[in-house]
Every structure is written in C-alpha cells, then in structure tokens.
Amino acid sequence: MKSLKSILILAAAFSITLFAVEQTNAQDARNEAIELYNQAQELAGSGDFTNSIDLYREALEISQANDLNDITELIVERIPRVASSRASNAYRGYQSERTLESVNNALSAFLEAKEIAEEFGNAEVRQQAEAALPQLHYIRSVLHFRAENYEDALADLDTAIDMNANYALAFYQKALVTKNQNPSEVDTWLGLYDEAIEVAERVDDNRALENALESVEEELIFRAVDLAEDREFDRAVDLLQKVEDYNPESANAQYRMAEIYNKRGQWDQALQHATRALEYESGGVNDKAKIYFELGTAYKGQGEKENACEAFENARYGDFTEPANHELQFELKCEGHTPTGR
C-alpha cells in the first residue's frame, strides 16, 4: 500500500510540475509574441512598413501556435492596415517624384496590400487597393505614352479597363495612344474615341467626355486641313463632315468647309458654310476675321460686289488686315474704302 501511495504522490507531483512548465512556456510565448508585436508597432510608426509586417507575421506564428487568440486578433487586424499605409506612402512617393520607378513601387505596394487584405479577410483595405490599381495603371500608361512607348502604354490601359470597365478616362487615353501609334488608321482610333464617349456618357464622366469630343474634333480638322493642302478635297470634306457627329456647332469645321469650297469655286456651298461658321463662332472680331474673309471670297465669286465689300471690311483684323485691304482696294475697288488696319 505504501508503495502505491508513493507512486500516486509522485504522479501528482509530476502533473503539477508539468502544468507549471506548460504555464511557464505559455507565458513565455505570450511575452515573446507581445514583444514582437510592440516592435512591429514601433517600426510601423516610424514608416518601416515592410519590416513591421515581417515582425507581425513572426508574432502571429507564435500566437497561433499557442492559441493566444487575443493577440492573434490584434495582429490579423493590424497587418492589412500597415500594408495599406505602405501603399499610400508609396503613392505619395510617386506624387513627389513622378517617375516610372516610383509608380512601379506604388503599383507593387497596392498589389501586395490587396493580397494581404484577401489573406486576412479585410474587405475595406481590399476595396481601397482595387480602386487604386486601375488608376495607377492609367498613370503608368501616361508615362509610357510620353516616352512614346505605345505598346507598354496600351498594355497598362487594357489592364486598367479589365479592372474597371467604367474607367472612361482610360478608354479616352487608349484612343489617344492608338491615334499617335497609327495616325493613318482613322477608323480604328475613331472607333476607340466613340467607345470612350459612350462610357463617359454612361458614367457621367464630364472630364473624359469633353476630352474625347474635343480631341476628335481637333484631330479630324487637322487631318482635313492637311488633305486640303494636298488638294484632296473630297477626303478632306468627308473628315469635316464627321466633325458634326461630335460637335454639330463647330465653327472651325464650318470655316474649313467654306475654305475648301471657295478653293473649288463652289461659291454657294462656301457661302452656306461661312454663314454657319459666323453663327457658331463665339470669339471676338479677330476670331471672326478669317470667316468673313471666306464669306467675302464666296460673295466675290458670285459677283455680289456690295456683299463682298461688306464682308472684307469685317475681315480687316489681325492677320487678315492686309489680304482684306488688297481685296477691297485692288480687286473689288470698293467705294469709300480706307486701307487702314483695325
């Protein structure tokens, strides 16, 4: 009996000792996890986000292995937020430097923030990263575009659009890049501008809409003028007529149409477009002078001297002063004309 009693006493003593050891080990683990957590906090506070995340993960590994649920919960909440802070800091770096390297750093940081947010189930940080990533791809596309790296620019824009199908500004930028990459493929880049306009209208993005409409108008008129200078009048007129789809009241397109029809001797049509150009032109007398000159040319071609004289009088401003004076004094010999500028 004594022997059995001794065995039971020894067993009890061993159990107490083992429990004490386990308690000591658990406390040591807690202390180590807390120490790592505090160090991670200090690094995050000083802006050393990457090393901070590494220490948080070390602390997390210890806390999970020892069922330290309170510490685990703290770390799981903190890591995504620190990753978000790292990403925001990288974006500020881009805003300061505006370089390809700095935007690459921001992209990497936000991508990692998204991955970490998904790992730890933080919906807020994930959504923030998902909103930032397409914008950063757009920003990088602009840098590539300025460096004439059109393929890289388009790749970034396609990624941005894949991430956000409502990103009207990315659609606009894609049209702009394509136009510069393949300027002769008018139908291709015009179709992309149309797509940008459709998206911008659908999402009420007035900035993208105005950019797209203005760019199409300017580009079509620019190309029409080049064609007209090469006397490819039919092709020029086709492009100018397309302008009406984007700006039905384009004074410049109407003026260029009047200019072309005057060169072709089609006075009635020139007069019609010059009249519309004056109606649409919202600028001052200098802006209207060139239109009045085409109006005068059309009236002159029709043999309507009085109307031609009046039109050329109104054209005597800025660069058109001398040409208009010449018409008034030597070509039409208008009565009461005084050859002075205004």
Side-chain angles (χ1 to χ4, degrees), residues 139-152:
I139 289 170
R140 191 167 69 177
S141 80
V142 173
L143 295 179
H144 284 313
F145 173 66
R146 290 172 181 169
E148 298 184 2
N149 297 326
Y150 299 132
E151 291 296 336
D152 289 338

Side-chain angles (χ1 to χ4, degrees), residues 291-339:
I291 303 172
Y292 275 115
F293 191 87
E294 295 303 325
L295 187 69
T297 301
Y299 277 131
K300 175 186 172 183
Q302 289 180 324
E304 297 186 29
K305 179 178 177 179
E306 185 177 345
N307 286 333
C309 288
E310 182 181 353
F312 283 124
E313 281 287 345
N314 288 322
R316 291 195 304 134
Y317 292 92
D319 293 341
F320 286 86
T321 300
E322 289 304 318
N325 279 335
H326 177 81
E327 292 289 339
L328 290 162
Q329 185 175 3
F330 300 107
E331 297 293 329
L332 295 171
K333 297 181 174 58
C334 299
E335 294 180 9
H337 166 63
T338 302

